[in-house]
Amino acid sequence: MGALALCLAATACSAGDDSSSKGPTSEKTSATFGFTAAPDNLDFTTTDGAAIPQVLLDNVYQGLVKLSPDGKIVGSLAKSWTVSPDNKTYDFQLQPNATFSNGDKFTADDVKFSIERVKSSAWKISLKAYMDVVDQVQVVSPTEVKVVLKQPSNDWLFRMTTRIGAMFDPQGVTDLANKAIGTGPYTVSQFNRNDSVVLTARSDYWATKPKLKTVKFQYFSDTNAENSALLSGGIDGIIALQTPDTLGQFKSNSDLTVSQGTTNGEVVLSMNNAKGVFTNKALRQAVNYAIDRKALVKAAYGGYGSLIGSMVPPTDPWYQDLSNAYPYDAAKAKALIAQSGVKNPSVAFKIPNLPYAVSSAQVVKSDLAKVGITANISVLQFPAAWLDQVFTKHDFDMSIIAHVEARDIATYGDKKYYWGYDNPAVTKLLAEADAGTPQQQITDYQQVAKTLSDDAVSDWLFLLPNIEVLRKGLSGVPVNGLSESFDVSGVSWGSGS
C-alpha cells in the first residue's frame, strides 16, 4: 500500500514546512489530508475501488450533476435540466464558459463522447452497467444536450453524480492512468504512486476559484504514522479516521477539532455464493448468527459504527432496520452448521490490509471458531492484490471490505459481481424498482433488502462513521461521506470568507 511507515512519516512532516502553511490561518493557502487507501493509478474508468474518484471526482473531473453535502442532486456542468413527461428524455442546459484544464472548451459534444465512452469497451469497471439504460445522446447546440433513455429510470440521474458521469475531453483520454484532464477547479500536479497526490488550483478555472492553491492527499499504510503526522503538524487533517480508539489524544489537543458524520460505507462480510462451502444457505445463515456484531463494532471500531443489517444506509429513502434479523446466537449457528451437512467447515478468509478489515477479521475468526468454522486469514495488499484475487478472480470464500459506493444494493442483481449471488427474483425486482414510480422503487428495494437478508447472502457488519480530526481553522471540509468524492473545492483556512 505504499512506502515504509518511516518514509511516510517523513514525507508527511515535510508538508508542514511549506511556507504557505505558516502564519495566521487566513493567510494559509495549502492543506494536507491523511487517508489510508491509496490509488494505484489515476484511471477510474478501468480500475475499481473508491481511492481514485475520492481524490479526482469533483476536484479534477466534473459531471453534469453532483451530490450536495446533504445528498441532494444539484447542477455542476449542467446549469439546469428538464425531464420529459414519460421520464425518458433529459434536456440539459450546459454552463457556457466551462473549459478543460488543457484549454479546450467544454461543449455538448464532450457530453456525447463521455457518455458513449462509458458504454463502450473503453470502460472496464462494473459500475459502467448503470449507463446501459441510455439509448442515445443528442447534441442540440454547443450548450444543450438531450439524453434519451431506453425506459424510465429512477436511478440514472443519481448515477450521473458518480464517476460514470465524469466528463472527458476526447483529447485527454490517451493516458488516463497518469494524466487527468478535467473541467474541475484543480489539476494533478504530482502523483507519487501509493504515497501521495498533490492538487493545484487552476488559475483559469471557469467558475468560483477555490480558496486553497494546493491540496495534498497523503496516504498511510500505518495508522500510527498517520496519527503522529497530525500531532506533529505534518498533516492538517485525517479523513475517515480508521482508529477510533486513538481519539482521546486528539480530543485533548486544543489545536484540533473532532467531528463525526455519516457515510454510505457498509462494512460487508462477503461470502462467495457461487462456489465453495457458502453455496450452502444454511452455512451462510450460521455465519450470520455466529458473529456478535455489537462486540465486533466495539472491538474493531471503538463502538462508533452503526448496525444496519443490510446494504442500505439510513440516508437512503428505502432504509429499514434489519439489524436484528440475525441476533447473536452461537447455539443456533451450530445447529445450522449441522443442518448444512458441511463437516468441519474451513474457509479461505482473504481480507485487505486496511485497519478496520484486519481488526474486524480477528473478531470474525474468533466467533466462527467458537461454532466450529475455521477461518484461515490471508491479508492482501490493497488495492492491487485484493482487487485481483477477490474482486476480479473471485478466488475466496469470505472477505471484508467497506462498500462506499452509493446505493450499491443493486450489485446483488449482478451474478457476475464478486460475491456471485444469482437470484432472478431479485434481479427482476431491481429492474422494476428502477423503471417504476418513486414509491415503487422504495417498496421494491425494501423487498430486495429483506430477500438478501433471508438468503444470508452477506453479513453486513456495520456502517462506517465519518470521523474527521482537523486542525483548527480549517473550514468547508465535507462532514459526511455520501459521495465517491472528497470535494475540497470549498475548503479554506479561517472563516472561509
Side-chain angles (χ1 to χ4, degrees):
M1 187 157 187
L4 294 174
L6 181 61
C7 297
L8 283 166
T11 304
C13 288
S14 68
D17 295 331
D18 187 341
S19 60
S20 64
S21 66
K22 295 180 179 179
T25 57
S26 61
E27 297 177 4
K28 294 181 181 180
T29 59
S30 70
T32 299
F33 296 101
F35 297 85
T36 55
D40 197 43
N41 61 72
L42 299 177
D43 184 6
F44 56 58
T45 75
T46 61
T47 306
D48 276 293
I52 307 174
Q54 183 179 60
V55 62
L56 296 186
L57 192 60
D58 296 329
N59 297 319
V60 176
Y61 294 111
Q62 294 173 309
L64 298 178
V65 290
K66 63 183 288 187
L67 283 186
S68 67
D70 60 356
K72 291 184 173 64
I73 299 174
V74 297
S76 183
L77 287 170
K79 63 179 184 179
S80 65
W81 64 92
T82 58
V83 186
S84 63
D86 64 0
N87 292 321
K88 290 173 60 177
T89 301
Y90 288 75
D91 192 339
F92 294 96
Q93 303 297 323
L94 307 180
Q95 299 285 358
N97 301 316
T99 60
F100 289 95
S101 58
N102 62 359
D104 289 350
K105 190 173 180 59
F106 169 74
T107 71
D109 288 321
D110 301 310
V111 179
K112 181 177 175 66
F113 168 78
S114 299
I115 291 177
E116 291 179 347
R117 192 169 186 273
V118 178
K119 292 168 64 67
S120 76
S121 59
W123 275 68
K124 305 296 184 185
I125 66 169
S126 57
L127 293 176
K128 66 174 287 183
Y130 291 122
M131 201 67 86
D132 289 349
V133 72
V134 172
D135 183 37
Q136 56 181 297
V137 183
Q138 302 170 357
V139 173
V140 180
S141 75
T143 58
E144 183 180 359
V145 61
K146 291 185 178 181
V147 180
V148 182
L149 307 184
K150 297 173 184 176
Q151 65 266 343
S153 172
N154 291 310
D155 198 46
W156 179 74
L157 189 64
F158 180 87
R159 297 301 170 184
M160 288 296 286
T161 69
T162 71
R163 74 189 84 176
I164 70 166
M167 295 291 113
F168 293 87
D169 184 340
Q171 309 304 316
V173 295
T174 56
D175 187 19
L176 290 176
N178 299 294
K179 190 172 184 180
I181 297 173
T183 58
Y186 287 94
T187 60
V188 177
S189 55
Q190 293 180 42
F191 171 44
N192 303 307
R193 185 169 280 102
N194 294 320
D195 177 76
S196 60
V197 178
V198 178
L199 303 181
T200 298
R202 289 176 54 187
S203 60
D204 64 342
Y205 182 52
W206 58 274
T208 303
K209 292 179 173 56
K211 296 291 195 302
L212 297 181
K213 292 182 180 178
T214 60
V215 180
K216 186 174 186 178
F217 287 61
Q218 182 69 56
Y219 300 100
F220 296 84
S221 59
D222 184 328
T223 55
N224 290 325
E226 182 181 39
N227 294 345
S228 296
L230 181 59
L231 291 169
S232 67
I235 62 176
D236 300 302
I238 295 176
I239 306 304
L241 182 77
Q242 300 289 302
T243 53
D245 58 315
T246 64
L247 275 173
Q249 63 185 323
F250 301 128
K251 289 181 176 180
S252 63
N253 191 313
S254 60
D255 293 329
L256 303 173
T257 62
V258 176
S259 66
Q260 180 179 338
T262 190
T263 74
N264 291 314
E266 307 98 347
V267 179
V268 181
L269 177 68
S270 53
M271 290 175 273
N272 194 332
N273 286 237
K275 63 181 180 180
V277 295
F278 289 126
T279 57
N280 189 303
K281 177 179 174 179
L283 196 61
R284 298 196 304 268
Q285 291 176 323
V287 168
N288 275 262
Y289 280 116
I291 297 171
D292 186 345
R293 283 173 289 279
K294 290 182 180 179
L296 183 146
V297 172
K298 186 175 181 180
Y301 225 79
Y304 281 90
S306 303
L307 301 183
I308 54 174
S310 75
M311 200 67 165
V312 183
T315 47
D316 283 350
W318 36 85
Y319 172 72
Q320 53 191 328
D321 186 357
L322 298 176
S323 60
N324 290 319
Y326 292 92
Y328 176 56
D329 191 332
K332 195 161 189 175
K334 290 178 180 179
L336 282 163
I337 294 171
Q339 178 185 323
S340 76
V342 180
K343 303 295 184 183
N344 303 315
S346 179
V347 298
F349 192 10
K350 299 186 177 182
I351 61 169
N353 63 334
L354 299 173
Y356 70 87
V358 174
S359 55
S360 295
Q362 298 301 324
V363 178
V364 170
K365 178 183 175 71
S366 175
D367 282 353
L368 294 183
K370 294 173 185 175
V371 299
I373 300 175
T374 301
N376 301 298
I377 296 177
S378 299
V379 181
L380 305 178
Q381 186 270 340
F382 186 87
W386 187 89
L387 285 173
D388 177 57
Q389 291 190 39
V390 177
F391 193 84
T392 302
K393 294 179 179 175
H394 307 177
D395 181 17
F396 77 109
D397 292 315
M398 196 164 63
S399 187
I400 293 177
I401 194 74
H403 284 258
V404 299
E405 291 82 5
R407 301 186 179 182
D408 43 12
I409 190 174
T411 56
Y412 289 96
D414 180 6
K415 64 182 180 182
K416 295 181 180 178
Y417 203 69
Y418 79 102
W419 39 56
Y421 179 64
D422 185 9
N423 185 333
V426 164
T427 303
K428 183 172 183 289
L429 270 174
L430 289 168
E432 291 173 350
D434 189 33
T437 65
Q439 181 55 51
Q440 184 179 353
Q441 183 184 32
I442 292 174
T443 302
D444 287 350
Y445 273 13
Q446 287 180 336
Q447 181 57 52
V448 167
K450 183 66 167 55
T451 301
L452 298 176
S453 176
D454 292 343
D455 282 350
V457 183
S458 307
D459 188 349
W460 299 275
L461 299 176
F462 63 96
L463 185 74
L464 281 174
N466 191 51
I467 302 173
E468 297 177 340
V469 186
L470 305 174
R471 199 160 307 286
K472 280 191 174 176
L474 269 179
S475 64
V477 179
V479 176
N480 296 323
L482 302 181
S483 167
E484 286 190 296
S485 74
F486 177 64
D487 186 350
V488 298
S489 61
V491 177
S492 65
W493 289 98
S495 64
S497 61

